């Protein structure tokens, strides 16, 4: 739920049309930048720069309410109550899913379903639940029954927003889904590269250990030869030294 005590502060700047929404956060441990951006789009807010910060780590859920109120005060725009309620619900659900699925997969699921709102209203609950599972499978995401029900409820709430607002969201979301897919792919590629680097370092470590053991073994097996050689060298120089007069 939204925290009962707000410990975060927000900075909001309205940008020229077409600038998009940017979010920066500090000491916010639960809500990600994409979660805020998605929730703001649901509330009909675009073209803003937002900074959320706190003196220590907090979840950041209460900040969304502050952003919505600040936007209304600055622009004189009254955000519909249902849009505000759904945006808050979306933020909370995405955060809950992120704890279980990871932030990338949670945001990807929510945004993908928002992009399908053109036809979800014509589906029965059973058909929509099946579609949610299909979307999850497409992205190799495993959902349990409870998570499917939560996403189903969110879809039904999103469908109740006015048609014009819904149409705009569908257009925006498709681009966001592509960006999230690209980010997830790049993260997976970096993870694979990291595994490769680790394997290479481990291999180098094994090679270095093997070389050290070979050198140590060789030194041990030939230690007697070195001692005899050193003794011969000392003897040679000792024999050539002139006798000392008394």
């Amino acid at each position: 739920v939204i925290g009962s005590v707000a410990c975060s502060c927000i900075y909001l700047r309205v940008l020229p049309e077409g600038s998009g929404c940017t979010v920066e956060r500090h000491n916010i441990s639960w809500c990600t930048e994409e979660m805020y951006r998605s929730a703001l789009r649901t509330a009909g807010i675009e073209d803003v720069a937002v900074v959320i910060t706190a003196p220590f780590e907090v979840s950041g859920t209460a900040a969304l309410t502050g952003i919505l109120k600040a936007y209304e005060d600055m622009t004189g725009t009254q955000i519909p109550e249902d849009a505000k309620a759904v945006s808050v619900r979306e933020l909370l659900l995405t955060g809950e899913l992120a704890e279980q699925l990871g932030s990338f997969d949670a945001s990807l699921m929510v945004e993908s379903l928002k992009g399908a709102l053109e036809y979800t209203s014509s589906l029965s609950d059973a058909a929509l639940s099946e579609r949610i599972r299909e979307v999850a499978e497409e992205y190799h995401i495993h959902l349990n029954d409870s998570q499917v029900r939560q996403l189903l409820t969110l879809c039904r709430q999103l469908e109740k927003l006015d048609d014009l607002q819904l149409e705009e969201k569908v257009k925006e979301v498709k681009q966001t889904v592509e960006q999230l897919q690209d980010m997830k792919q790049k993260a997976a590629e970096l993870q694979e590269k990291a595994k490769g680097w680790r394997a290479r370092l481990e291999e180098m470590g094994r090679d270095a250990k093997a070389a050290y053991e070979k050198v140590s073994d060789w030194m041990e097996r030939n230690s007697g030869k070195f001692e005899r050689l050193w003794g011969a060298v000392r003897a040679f120089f000792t024999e050539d030294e002139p006798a000392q007069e008394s």
Side-chain angles (χ1 to χ4, degrees):
V1 296
I2 291 286
S4 58
V5 178
C7 300
S8 56
C9 300
I10 66 160
Y11 163 84
L12 176 69
R13 181 160 58 95
V14 179
L15 304 175
E17 185 176 350
S19 299
C21 177
T22 64
V23 177
E24 183 180 338
R25 64 193 176 106
H26 303 279
N27 279 335
I28 304 300
S29 60
W30 202 65
C31 300
T32 66
E33 288 91 344
E34 182 52 41
M35 287 166 58
Y36 282 119
R37 280 193 292 268
S38 181
L40 290 174
R41 283 194 296 269
T42 296
I45 297 178
E46 282 286 354
D47 304 320
V48 293
V50 181
V51 180
I52 307 110
T53 188
F56 47 82
E57 280 204 355
V58 297
S59 68
T61 54
L64 179 59
T65 303
I67 297 170
L68 300 178
K69 183 67 169 65
Y71 183 82
E72 289 181 321
D73 291 343
M74 292 178 66
T75 63
T77 302
Q78 184 63 41
I79 302 171
E81 290 301 319
D82 57 346
K84 288 191 282 189
V86 176
S87 68
V88 170
R89 177 57 190 150
E90 178 190 325
L91 180 74
L92 295 176
L93 175 56
T94 309
E96 291 170 5
L97 291 175
E99 290 183 333
Q100 304 160 39
L101 307 176
S103 59
F104 271 127
D105 286 346
S107 294
L108 190 56
M109 277 302 307
V110 171
E111 291 293 334
S112 296
L113 293 174
K114 286 168 69 176
L117 290 173
E118 297 168 290
Y119 63 82
T120 57
S121 59
S122 64
L123 299 178
S124 66
D125 285 357
L128 180 52
S129 295
E130 183 60 29
R131 180 54 189 153
I132 290 172
R133 294 186 187 279
E134 290 173 357
V135 171
E137 288 179 8
E138 289 173 12
Y139 298 130
H140 307 290
I141 299 171
H142 175 72
L143 296 177
N144 59 36
D145 292 341
S146 175
Q147 292 163 343
V148 171
R149 286 194 297 271
Q150 288 176 304
L151 288 166
L152 171 64
T153 300
L154 179 62
C155 277
R156 295 308 189 203
Q157 292 173 333
L158 287 165
E159 290 166 1
K160 294 176 182 177
L161 301 179
D162 68 80
D163 294 338
L164 179 60
Q165 195 176 25
L166 186 60
E167 183 180 347
E168 289 300 316
K169 284 178 179 48
V170 171
K171 293 178 182 177
E172 296 161 1
V173 162
K174 289 179 179 177
Q175 183 179 2
T176 302
V177 170
E178 292 175 0
Q179 293 173 343
L180 285 170
Q181 287 178 290
D182 184 55
M183 291 170 66
K184 184 178 180 180
Q185 179 62 32
K186 288 180 179 178
E189 290 173 359
L190 285 174
Q191 188 176 29
E192 286 302 313
K193 286 182 180 180
K195 289 180 181 177
W197 295 333
R198 179 178 178 180
R200 180 56 183 154
L201 288 172
E202 289 176 348
E203 182 182 353
M204 291 171 64
R206 289 193 295 269
D207 291 345
K209 182 180 179 182
Y212 172 78
E213 290 174 347
K214 286 181 179 179
V215 172
S216 298
D217 180 63
W218 185 85
M219 291 287 289
E220 184 177 346
R221 286 187 287 104
N222 292 278
S223 60
K225 293 180 182 179
F226 282 113
E227 290 177 0
R228 289 195 295 274
L229 178 61
W230 179 242
V233 171
R234 290 182 61 187
F236 174 80
F237 285 104
T238 302
E239 289 174 2
D240 290 345
E241 287 180 359
Q244 298 291 329
E245 295 184 0
S246 53

